[in-house]
Amino acid sequence: MDFFQKTIKDIKSIKIQGATNVAISAIKAFKWKAKQIKSKNKIEFIGKLEHYKRELIETRPTEPLMRNSLRYILNLLKRSDEREPKKLVKLIDIAADEFLFNLTKAKQKIAQIGASVIKNNSVIFTHCHSSTVMDILKMAKKKGKKFEVIQTESRPLYQGRITAKELVKAGIPTTMIVDSAVSTYIKKADMAIVGADVITAESSLINKIGTLNLALACKRVSIPFFSATVLAKFDPETMFGKQEEIEMRNPKEVWDKPPRRLKILNPAFDVTPRELINAYVTEEGIITPESISEVISLNYSWMFR
Ligand code: RUB
């Protein structure tokens, strides 16, 4: 199995998980694959790249950051006057590295901005595993803030354990609960912060299944609910009425040997409507759902091309 196929397998199996890690791995695999392609001309080269882009995108249908990043790289190639395959491969490298650099810079900004939201002696609630939320919590700790975290285990794949390991390693006092205990323990928290897989044109948030329950629980006890995200997780197609597809995962993740005739549903994500979200913590600042589309169109015009 080559590096490209291994990346596909690891993304599908959630060995590589979280929107950011998925996008970074997909970009690296795309870059690698471009170097292996043999083609006579630019049209053939782009045709092959389109095919590999589709293969990557199909690994996780609810990941616009991966889609946007690969589209960004391919668009740069299509718009260039360069025709020679070797030079085109170089262009891919340049575009990919540029995207990765901007992504890293955006995440660093979010860590700084998000850390300022964490109050001293507070209790922060989080769900699943988001590298963006992790960056914020670690930055807050680095800045000398004292706080505790309550986090879910995130069934069925237990991504909460990744969060738990990272937080404990960072020396942040952490308590894990089962997903169904969210409403019980939310009263102990001062705020909740989760990651994001998708920001839609209606400013809704799509994130790990259970996020909606957490947001509803926050509303009930009147504590703020935030999502930390780079703006490139916006799905431009939702502007044209496309309903974001929610990835349905293998029922065996829930129960490997269920009784026959039992139907099991295993959606990976859910949709949290804008009225439950206090703000998005982004590289452009803390932005309310009402203004996020405008900020995205001002700063990321390439997404709409
Ligand atoms: C992970 C998940 C994360 C977002 C954001 O789901 O929902 O909250 O992807 O992650 P899964 P990040 O484990 O199914 O991929 O902040 O790292 O982009």
Side-chain angles (χ1 to χ4, degrees):
M1 195 184 304
D2 68 21
F3 175 61
F4 184 81
Q5 287 309 326
K6 169 101 175 51
T7 305
I8 296 232
K9 185 169 165 257
D10 289 349
I11 295 177
K12 276 187 183 160
S13 69
I14 315 281
K15 192 168 172 197
I16 297 170
Q17 67 78 229
T20 308
N21 289 332
V22 164
I24 291 173
S25 301
I27 294 169
K28 288 183 179 163
F30 195 62
K31 243 174 89 160
W32 183 86
K33 195 72 194 177
K35 292 196 177 81
Q36 319 300 313
I37 295 175
K38 302 220 176 334
S39 55
K40 291 191 242 17
N41 54 46
K42 185 171 180 176
I43 294 178
E44 197 188 351
F45 184 61
I46 287 181
K48 287 184 179 167
L49 283 173
E50 289 281 8
H51 167 81
Y52 295 122
K53 181 182 103 173
R54 258 195 315 277
E55 258 195 73
L56 284 164
I57 282 173
E58 281 165 8
T59 55
R60 305 242 22 213
T62 322
E63 294 300 357
L65 182 63
M66 166 165 57
R67 291 201 290 271
N68 286 335
S69 65
L70 299 179
R71 229 188 41 189
Y72 175 89
I73 296 166
L74 257 182
N75 280 355
L76 211 115
L77 202 73
K78 286 177 188 168
R79 285 207 314 275
S80 122
D81 295 330
E82 196 53 73
R83 313 234 133 250
E84 205 205 305
K86 257 197 185 154
K87 293 206 173 131
L88 290 171
V89 172
K90 183 85 206 129
L91 261 184
I92 299 233
D93 261 355
I94 293 169
D97 291 348
E98 188 175 75
F99 194 95
L100 288 170
F101 177 79
N102 289 334
L103 183 59
T104 308
K105 230 172 54 186
K107 274 191 91 197
Q108 285 165 352
K109 275 195 196 164
I110 296 173
Q112 291 290 347
I113 295 166
S116 68
V117 178
I118 311 286
K119 295 208 174 76
N120 231 341
N121 302 315
S122 62
V123 177
I124 315 297
F125 213 108
T126 193
H127 178 50
C128 194
H129 176 261
S130 152
S131 63
T132 319
V133 172
M134 290 295 100
D135 288 353
I136 289 175
L137 297 175
K138 287 177 197 166
M139 182 57 74
K141 163 91 182 164
K142 205 170 145 192
K143 286 181 182 291
K145 300 250 175 103
K146 290 200 167 42
F147 59 96
E148 280 179 41
V149 175
I150 302 178
Q151 47 118 189
T152 55
E153 59 174 356
S154 308
R155 260 188 62 79
L157 293 180
Y158 303 106
Q159 289 93 329
R161 292 179 185 175
I162 310 173
T163 302
K165 282 185 195 158
E166 278 189 40
L167 291 176
V168 168
K169 194 169 170 212
I172 299 170
T174 303
T175 305
M176 182 189 273
I177 58 163
V178 295
D179 299 346
S180 42
V182 164
S183 291
T184 303
Y185 287 101
I186 197 69
K187 303 171 199 92
K188 295 199 181 298
D190 298 291
M191 63 171 265
I193 185 159
V194 297
D197 286 277
V198 189
I199 310 167
T200 73
E202 302 88 40
S203 315
S204 306
L205 162 71
I206 300 181
N207 192 51
K208 178 54 57 195
I209 189 80
T211 300
L212 173 60
N213 283 353
L214 175 57
L216 285 165
C218 287
K219 191 76 165 179
R220 195 169 71 84
V221 296
S222 302
I223 67 163
F225 174 87
F226 297 99
S227 167
T229 177
V230 293
L231 293 168
K233 287 181 185 172
F234 181 73
D235 183 353
E237 287 180 58
T238 57
M239 290 185 75
F240 307 103
K242 182 194 129 187
Q243 287 290 314
E244 190 71 38
E245 181 187 341
I246 301 290
E247 176 186 356
M248 295 302 288
R249 296 199 52 92
N250 192 334
K252 292 219 177 317
E253 289 178 353
V254 178
W255 196 353
D256 56 350
K257 288 193 185 102
R260 282 175 63 204
R261 291 188 298 278
L262 174 71
K263 184 175 169 187
I264 296 176
L265 297 175
N266 185 19
F269 305 106
D270 60 24
V271 185
T272 301
R274 60 196 261 176
E275 59 271 19
L276 296 177
I277 303 163
N278 287 70
Y280 285 101
V281 181
T282 78
E283 65 272 33
E284 293 298 326
I286 296 170
I287 302 170
T288 61
E290 288 69 27
S291 35
I292 197 146
S293 291
E294 200 185 327
V295 176
I296 292 165
S297 59
L298 279 173
N299 291 280
Y300 291 83
S301 54
W302 60 264
M303 252 193 253
F304 303 92
R305 269 183 222 133

